[in-house]
Amino acid sequence: MARTMLKRGALIGAAAAMMIGFASAPASAANVGVQLPNGRGYMTFIDDGDKFVVCDTKADGHGVTGKLWTYAQGRLLSVGTWDDGGDQGCDRGSYDIIGGRYFQMELCWHGGGCVYSDAFSER
């Protein structure tokens, strides 16, 4: 019971952090990035071609997962997920960043903890 309540609390906290990110002053798209503490990894949006790079930069037995979120139709939507870890090189993906809509990156270390980018859009 306590474990379930902790998980729910963590999910609510993560959703609140993302809503705060969407409410803050958004950045126009150029290259945007977010980094995990202690050099564990990073996620970068590359505006030229709307590409995403997710890198696990520490051989600590834990990978990283990068997610792309947008707020549309009155709710948060996950529109892309990329994982890295256990192999050489970084993982890459793409998603068309639609003008007029705001996006936010979430990067999580599989050993615990997530960080969020500022909200950004392509205008």
Side-chain angles (χ1 to χ4, degrees):
M1 172 94 168
R3 177 174 254 176
T4 302
M5 290 178 72
L6 284 173
K7 285 182 183 177
R8 285 183 186 156
L11 286 171
I12 291 168
M18 289 185 12
M19 290 304 293
I20 290 169
F22 278 113
S24 2
S28 292
N31 293 354
V32 177
V34 63
Q35 294 184 358
L36 287 163
N38 302 316
R40 289 190 172 108
Y42 64 89
M43 181 175 182
T44 303
F45 164 67
I46 302 166
D47 189 29
D48 183 20
D50 291 352
K51 297 176 189 126
F52 291 86
V53 178
V54 175
C55 289
D56 175 11
T57 54
K58 231 176 204 184
D60 58 6
H62 300 286
V64 297
T65 297
K67 287 187 178 182
L68 180 64
W69 295 88
T70 190
Y71 189 77
Q73 299 152 0
R75 61 190 179 128
L76 282 172
L77 301 172
S78 174
V79 294
T81 302
W82 302 277
D83 296 306
D84 190 44
D87 61 354
Q88 279 191 320
C90 300
D91 283 13
R92 299 173 186 278
S94 61
Y95 183 84
D96 186 17
I97 299 298
I98 301 164
R101 189 182 290 178
Y102 292 100
F103 294 85
Q104 187 172 28
M105 293 183 290
E106 172 188 31
L107 181 62
C108 296
W109 177 56
H110 296 177
C114 298
V115 293
Y116 303 89
S117 71
D118 290 335
F120 61 94
S121 70
E122 189 169 70
R123 292 193 175 235

